[in-house]
């Protein structure tokens, strides 16, 4: 982490982390499938840059940039037998990943001193400025799904279909009181 404290009306922080995971998914495997893909080995990383600039007239600008690795997933297959259905792990964990999102947020704030030690702030936040629609999670089951579009049944692949995406661009306006 690199941190430049507030001097000359600006500050900056750059942070990064890298995670190495090397474990077992199920502990002691109970069947050959679990033994084959029991390794739970992957890496995740993230980088964040945030700064603050105290502009003239009591205006404070705080941009934030984040970029991170997408979550690792493994491919599975639903297998139907006479005794029931089970999920067969076709490939190990971390073989596939969802999108690596880049997110830009910012805050603009105007501060007013109202009394000794008291301050009012009016702020405007903007989240996901680039309106990224990166997948946060995806389906890991191989197969086909069916949906109806304009009265027609449409089949599409199930594997790697996004099940959650980043929230859209969001704006927030508010007030705060410091004492």
């Amino acid at each position: 982490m690199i941190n430049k404290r507030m001097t000359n009306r600006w500050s900056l922080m750059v942070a990064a982390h890298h995670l190495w995971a090397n474990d077992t998914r199920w502990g002691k495997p109970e069947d050959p499938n679990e033994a084959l893909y029991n390794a739970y080995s992957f890496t995740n990383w993230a980088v964040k840059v945030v700064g603050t600039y105290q502009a003239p007239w009591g205006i404070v600008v705080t941009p934030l940039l984040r970029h991170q690795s997408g979550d690792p997933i493994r491919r599975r297959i639903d297998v139907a037998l006479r005794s029931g259905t089970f999920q067969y792990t076709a490939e190990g964990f971390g073989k596939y990943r969802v999108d690596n999102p880049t997110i830009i947020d910012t805050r603009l704030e105007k501060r007013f001193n109202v009394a000794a030690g008291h301050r009012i702030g009016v702020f405007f936040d903007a989240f996901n400025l680039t309106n990224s629609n990166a997948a946060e999670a995806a389906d890991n089951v191989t197969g086909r799904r069916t949906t109806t579009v304009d009265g027609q049944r449409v089949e599409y692949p199930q594997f790697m279909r996004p099940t959650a995406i980043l929230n859209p661009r969001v704006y927030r306006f508010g007030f705060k009181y410091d004492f």
Side-chain angles (χ1 to χ4, degrees), residues 98-113:
V98 296
D99 301 333
N100 296 336
T102 300
I103 304 157
I104 301 172
D105 302 331
T106 192
R107 170 176 276 199
L108 297 173
E109 182 178 346
K110 169 70 173 147
R111 296 178 179 168
F112 303 94
N113 293 323

Side-chain angles (χ1 to χ4, degrees), residues 2-14:
I2 299 170
N3 191 7
K4 190 256 182 217
R5 295 180 185 214
M6 180 67 73
T7 56
N8 299 323
R9 305 175 64 98
W10 70 279
S11 68
L12 181 71
M13 182 195 67
V14 178

Side-chain angles (χ1 to χ4, degrees), residues 7 21 61-63 87 115 126 164:
T7 56
V61 181
T62 307
Q87 285 193 333

Side-chain angles (χ1 to χ4, degrees), residues 44-173:
N44 274 344
W45 51 267
V47 177
K48 178 169 68 171
V49 179
V50 61
T52 300
Y53 173 64
Q54 294 176 336
W57 306 293
I59 296 174
V60 179
V61 181
T62 307
L64 171 87
L65 169 69
R66 290 179 287 158
H67 184 64
Q68 63 193 44
S69 63
D71 285 342
I73 62 173
R74 60 195 167 126
R75 189 167 65 92
R76 296 164 51 160
I77 299 171
D78 284 337
V79 178
L81 301 172
R82 288 184 184 189
S83 59
T85 302
F86 75 98
Q87 285 193 333
Y88 170 77
T89 302
E91 292 175 292
F93 192 80
K95 176 80 175 179
Y96 300 94
R97 286 186 173 272
V98 296
D99 301 333
N100 296 336
T102 300
I103 304 157
I104 301 172
D105 302 331
T106 192
R107 170 176 276 199
L108 297 173
E109 182 178 346
K110 169 70 173 147
R111 296 178 179 168
F112 303 94
N113 293 323
V114 291
H118 296 261
R119 193 168 48 194
I120 293 176
V122 178
F123 63 87
F124 173 75
D125 291 333
F127 302 101
N128 193 7
L129 281 174
T130 59
N131 206 24
S132 170
N133 63 347
E136 291 185 304
D139 202 331
N140 67 348
V141 177
T142 299
R144 305 215 33 99
R145 301 215 19 134
T146 305
T147 190
T148 304
V149 178
D150 294 330
Q152 299 290 324
R153 290 177 47 87
V154 177
E155 279 195 7
Y156 60 92
Q158 181 174 352
F159 181 65
M160 293 297 287
R161 176 185 61 88
T163 56
I165 60 171
L166 286 173
N167 287 331
R169 189 178 300 130
V170 173
Y171 301 108
R172 178 173 61 188
F173 179 75

Side-chain angles (χ1 to χ4, degrees), residues 5-30:
R5 295 180 185 214
M6 180 67 73
T7 56
N8 299 323
R9 305 175 64 98
W10 70 279
S11 68
L12 181 71
M13 182 195 67
V14 178
H17 85 266
H18 196 267
L19 167 74
W20 293 270
N22 193 9
D23 202 352
T24 55
R25 182 93 176 149
W26 297 285
K28 184 177 179 186
E30 295 181 7

